[in-house]
Structures are given as C-alpha cells and as structure tokens.
Amino acid sequence: MSSPIAGVLQLIALIAALALAYRPLGDYMARVYSSEKHYTPEKWIYKVIGANPAAEMRWPAYLRGVLAFSAVSVLFLYLMQRVQGSLPGSLGFSSIDPDQAFNTAASFVANTNWQSYYGEQAMGHVVQTGGLAVQNFLSAAVGMAVAVALVRGFARSRTGELGNFWADLVRGTVRILIPVSVIGAIVLVACGAIQNFSGIHQVGQFMGGTQEWNGGAVASQEAIKELGTNGGGYFNANSAHPFENPNPLSNLFEIFLILLIPFALTRTFGRMVGSLKQGYAILGAMAVIWIGFVALMMWTEFAHRGPAFEIAGGAMEGKETRFGIAGSSLFAVSTTLTSTGAVNSFHSSYTGFGGGITMLGMQLGEIAPGGVGSGLYGMLIMAIIAVFIAGLMVGRTPEYLGRKIGTRQIKLAACYILITPALVLGFTAVAMALPTPGDSMTNSGAHGFSEILYAYTSGANNNGSAFAGLNADTQWFNTTIGIAMLLGRFLPMVFVLALAGSLAEQKPVPETAGTLRTDKPLYAGLLVGTILIITGLTYFPALALGPLAEGLAS
C-alpha cells in the first residue's frame, strides 16, 4: 500500500508532465484546427465520404453532420455485434443480444464506453479492434470538433459560420489522436501491456488448476481509450487488469493520457480567441477543482477509521496492491472528472465519502478538465453562467470575450446545464420506484441507492464507470442507460452549437472600465464557486440519500 507521501510525489510528477506537454500540444491543436491545408490522406477520406472540406457551415448544418455521422456509427457498430458469430477472429463468441448490442453501440459512439458485458468473454478481435477501438477515435474527434466550433463562435464576428464538421473530424483523428495514440501504445507495450491477436489458451494458476485467457490488441486500444477519454476496457477488470495496466509506471502514464488533451485544449482555446490569459483562467478553474478532489479522495481513503482499515493503513478494499491507495485515488478522481470511465479499482468498495467524491465529479458535468472536447465546451458554458451571475450582482449587461450574453445565450446555456440532471434524477427515480430494476441491486439501503444513482450519473454524463454491485446486463438497464447516454451526449451539443452560432453572428463589444475581467484569478474563483453551487443545489438531496448517508453512518 502506498503512503500519502507517495501520493503527493505521484501528483507532482503528473502535474510536471502535463505542464511540459501543455504549451506544445495546445499550440499544435490550434494550428491543426486553423489550417487551410489538407494532407493527401485526408483528401482521400473526403473523396470517399463525399465531403467538401472547404465549405463553411452554419450551426444547423454543423449539427446535422454531427448527428448523421453518429447515427450511422451507432447502426454500424450495432450490426457488427449482431453478426459477430459469423465474423473471422470472433474467438468462437456468439453474436451479442439486441438490447446489449444497442447499449454498447450507444455507449461507444457517445464516448461513454459503459460496458455491461465481460470483454474477454464476449467480444472477438474484429469487434474489439474494428468496431470498439475505431469508435474510441471517432467519438473523441466528434467532441473535439464541437468544442472547436464553440471556440470559433467566440473568435469570429458578424458571421454564423463555424467551420466544417467533416474537416474538423478528420483532422482531429488523423493529425492529433492517431499520432499520439501510436506513441502511447508503444510506451504501454514497453511498460508490459500486451499487443497481439492470440486466441484462447490455458494458463496455469498459482494455487493449482488452469484458467482460460485470450490475448488481443490491448496496448493500442488502451492508449486511445485513455487519450480519447473513452474508458472501455479490453478486459472486464479494465485498467485494474495487468494486461492493460501492468505496474505503477503504466498507471501514472495512463492518468497522464486521460488528462493530456482536455487540459491542453484550454491553451488551444486561448490561442484561437487571441488571448492566452483567457485560456489560463479556464485552466486555473479546472486545475483547482481537480487538485481539490484528489486531496479529498486521498484524505478519506487514507484516514478512514476501523480495525481492518487501520491494519491495512487505509481503505484498501477493492484496490490493487500494485497501485495502492494513492495511485487508485488519483486514477479514480481523474477518470470521473473526465468522461473516461476507466477504472483501476472498484469504486463501489471505496468509503462512503470516497464513492460520493467520484459521483460528484461526474455530476459537475465532467469539466475539470472533462472529456476530450466536452470538458472545454462544458466549462465555457459554465463561464457564461458565471458572467451572467456577476452581471446580475452589479446591474450590468454581462459580456464574455467581447460578446454580450443576452436572453438567447443564457437560455441556451441554461438548457445545457439542465439536461443531464433531468436524465440522471428522472431515470434514478423511475428505477427506484419499479420492482424489476431493484432485483439487480446486490446491496440495500444507502449503498444500493448509490449504485442506481451512480449508474445513471455515469451514463447521462458519458463517463462509463460503475459501482460494481449493480447487475446492469438486463433489458431495463441496457435500454434506459443506452437512452440516457445518447440523450446526454447529443442534446447538449444541440445547445452548444446553437450558442456558437449566435455568438459568431454578434458584433464584438469593446472593452470598457466596467467590463468584468475574465482573465483574472478573481473570475476563476467565481467560476469555481458557480460550478460547485449549481451542482450542489441540483444533486445534494440525492447525494444525501446515498453516499453522504453511508459515509456518516460508517
């Protein structure tokens, strides 16, 4: 078990690595999305899909591209699973049942990667690599494209054009995600992750007997699973499995991949709007929340009282000894404050307060730093809300980055922040009221309620992690969580793109002595407070019934 000092050292090393990558990657992504040049492989892709990358799109056309592409992706992945038994490299696995195939297709296209199946016992090589891994790239690229469209809304004026969705999608995949993933996969192989296409074979066990294992292109899928904040594991144990995450070094590297693009996108934002200080303010708000959650998680997991906990030196139940409390806590916070969902420990086995911290991280909207793309546009929505609140307090028309925040803008922002709470709380209430979903709960009382609340929080916020005590492979959960994932992913994008279009049409407002300086620490603090207050008012009653009640009772 690692000590608190080891946890602090890991945190410092991680911050240092992210700081080194922040400027070059952020500037590079800004050049990628601002370039008018198209590489030869990209031109081939445009010809195949029949897209004109030079054509500018207004927000309705951009949205149609997002929805059409995602709908086709869901259908393709669904059909691929339904015919798996007839595909080569299926390892003898049968086709996936309709409700589970729908859930998995919705999950991976929505960048959620919720898995209600055992990866090593259900999915063959073709579905894993040609279906699931491909969507890891494409769903991440879609999120980045929508974020860049919103940034262009702030950067442009007197036009409703937001760029070209197909060009943004292809560039994000070809120029950013694929190259970084290749490097990431090589590092993971060097750390001990496996990369092969072997079939099922017998493995001897230490205590006698044998167990069946199959190999796979694990390192390559692991790299994009973390880099694209997807989270779907090749194996059921996810990043707790030694084939996916062999040692503490690979564990720290995977956390680095999770946080890399979401943090760096704040510099991309600052570069594209012409003010790096604005990017630093957003980065500061993200970093304060992330570091604060890490500190709280380590405190509650190291300091939990009780004979078993004191003998172990902390709450070690459900955690891998090779990572310890520090590595597990750092991973848990990073994966739930982003839309990743990968786990290297069982969140259900955390202390009551620890499980609540993971849940609250998702309920914030996964914006610290959030998912690839979705974290940035979610934080920018909250930035608009914070400016609006500041305007109410001083009696001045709110402005952000030279744009007036009027009735239309605040309505769109309000709709954005209301979608996921409505999905989470609505589906949780229905599931608790009906008898059938309750049969899937292996725990009663506050912890059982937390299992249901966590599941819909994870699905609607496109995270994908779960409390391990819930059997989600039922028609009810496969269907309702699938619906929550799709609505939680694409409904917010409607309001984000509509907002981007309305901002791009405006004439810039000149800065005056009364303009709120949104590039200062004071505003970053206001932004953090706004996020915590809005989330607290929304979810506190539900959290009080689940993790808070469990934590206070222990």
Side-chain angles (χ1 to χ4, degrees):
M1 186 209 73
S2 58
S3 66
I5 295 177
V8 172
L9 293 176
Q10 289 184 52
L11 181 60
I12 292 173
L14 183 58
I15 292 174
L18 291 168
L20 289 173
Y22 177 75
R23 180 172 180 174
L25 180 59
D27 289 346
Y28 172 71
M29 289 191 292
R31 292 195 298 272
V32 166
Y33 288 112
S34 301
S35 173
E36 296 182 358
K37 181 180 180 181
H38 305 290
Y39 296 157
T40 300
E42 297 171 352
K43 293 178 181 178
W44 295 341
I45 296 173
Y46 298 139
K47 287 183 179 180
V48 171
I49 63 179
N52 177 11
E56 288 282 339
M57 294 179 173
R58 299 178 68 86
W59 79 264
Y62 204 101
L63 177 62
R64 286 196 296 271
V66 170
L67 297 180
F69 177 76
S70 300
V72 171
S73 297
V74 170
L75 179 61
F76 175 79
L77 190 53
Y78 173 83
L79 293 176
M80 199 172 196
Q81 295 174 82
R82 294 291 293 135
V83 300
Q84 175 180 245
S86 303
L87 295 176
S90 65
L91 301 179
F93 297 142
S94 60
S95 298
I96 307 301
D97 293 336
D99 59 304
Q100 192 172 71
F102 162 73
N103 180 278
T104 304
S107 173
F108 277 77
V109 173
N111 197 246
T112 310
N113 290 30
W114 172 274
Q115 296 173 288
S116 60
Y117 58 88
Y118 296 90
E120 65 269 40
Q121 299 177 20
M123 301 292 181
H125 292 323
V126 173
V127 173
Q128 289 269 29
T129 57
L132 306 183
V134 168
Q135 285 306 317
N136 283 346
F137 285 97
L138 298 179
S139 63
V142 168
M144 294 168 69
V146 173
V148 169
L150 179 58
V151 173
R152 292 194 186 110
F154 287 109
R156 297 180 176 185
S157 60
R158 301 178 184 180
T159 176
E161 296 174 342
L162 301 175
N164 186 285
F165 166 70
W166 304 107
D168 292 338
L169 175 72
V170 172
R171 287 177 179 179
T173 303
V174 173
R175 302 191 196 183
I176 300 172
L177 295 173
I178 290 178
V180 180
S181 293
V182 170
I183 297 172
I186 293 172
V187 173
L188 287 173
V189 169
C191 288
I194 68 169
Q195 180 75 11
N196 57 56
F197 287 100
S198 69
I200 298 175
H201 52 275
Q202 300 286 333
V203 177
Q205 294 180 310
F206 179 74
M207 299 298 293
T210 60
Q211 188 174 3
E212 289 187 346
W213 285 106
N214 57 280
V218 176
S220 57
Q221 186 162 325
E222 192 77 9
I224 186 56
K225 143 190 163 179
E226 311 294 18
L227 180 69
T229 60
N230 299 283
Y234 205 99
F235 299 99
N236 180 56
N238 206 281
S239 291
H241 199 292
F243 287 178
E244 292 192 23
N245 192 5
N247 52 57
L249 179 60
S250 66
N251 187 66
L252 198 62
F253 180 69
E254 289 188 15
I255 301 172
F256 170 77
L257 288 179
I258 291 171
L259 301 172
L260 179 61
I261 292 179
F263 272 131
L265 275 173
T266 61
R267 185 173 178 90
T268 303
F269 162 69
R271 182 68 70 186
M272 292 181 71
V273 299
S275 175
L276 291 177
K277 290 183 178 180
Q278 296 289 347
Y280 293 146
I282 298 297
L283 172 66
M286 289 178 170
V288 165
I289 296 174
W290 174 63
I291 293 174
F293 270 57
V294 170
L296 285 173
M297 180 65 84
M298 287 192 182
W299 171 77
T300 188
E301 295 303 299
F302 273 115
H304 196 77
R305 292 293 175 258
F309 296 108
E310 291 174 357
I311 291 173
M316 276 298 293
E317 181 184 353
K319 299 180 178 68
E320 285 290 321
T321 55
R322 66 183 189 276
F323 305 138
I325 289 177
S328 300
S329 298
L330 187 55
F331 199 106
V333 169
S334 299
T335 195
T336 50
L337 278 174
T338 63
S339 64
T340 310
V343 293
N344 72 347
S345 55
F346 283 118
H347 294 178
S348 183
S349 297
Y350 278 49
T351 63
F353 290 136
I357 291 170
T358 61
M359 208 178 303
L360 181 61
M362 295 183 289
Q363 290 167 349
L364 291 180
E366 296 175 318
I367 53 178
V372 168
S374 62
L376 178 61
Y377 65 67
M379 184 60 89
L380 291 177
I381 295 291
M382 296 305 300
I384 290 173
I385 298 292
V387 166
F388 175 72
I389 293 174
L392 290 177
M393 290 191 291
V394 299
R396 179 182 172 87
T397 302
E399 302 167 8
Y400 185 60
L401 298 179
R403 300 296 189 274
K404 284 190 175 183
I405 307 303
T407 303
R408 175 174 171 78
Q409 288 75 36
I410 202 65
K411 284 181 178 178
L412 291 170
C415 288
Y416 175 93
I417 65 174
L418 289 173
I419 290 170
T420 50
L423 292 172
V424 172
L425 299 177
F427 276 120
T428 299
V430 174
M432 292 301 297
L434 296 177
T436 302
D439 295 338
S440 297
M441 297 163 53
T442 56
N443 294 279
S444 59
H447 195 79
F449 175 77
S450 293
E451 291 174 356
I452 302 292
L453 179 62
Y454 193 106
Y456 287 111
T457 298
S458 178
N461 286 282
N462 302 130
N463 182 271
S465 62
F467 265 21
L470 180 70
N471 173 26
D473 187 16
T474 65
Q475 287 189 349
W476 167 265
F477 284 113
N478 279 331
T479 303
T480 57
I481 293 177
I483 293 172
M485 289 186 291
L486 291 175
L487 294 179
R489 174 69 165 179
F490 296 109
L491 273 182
M493 288 183 176
V494 174
F495 300 110
V496 169
L497 292 173
L499 177 62
S502 70
L503 294 172
E505 292 171 351
Q506 290 189 27
K507 177 182 177 181
V509 178
E511 185 175 306
T512 66
T515 301
L516 175 66
R517 296 295 300 272
T518 56
D519 57 353
K520 298 294 183 180
L522 178 63
Y523 173 73
L526 173 64
L527 178 55
V528 172
T530 300
I531 293 167
L532 296 177
I533 290 172
I534 289 177
T535 306
L537 291 174
T538 303
Y539 287 105
F540 180 77
L543 291 172
L545 292 173
L548 289 178
E550 182 181 358
L552 292 172
S554 60

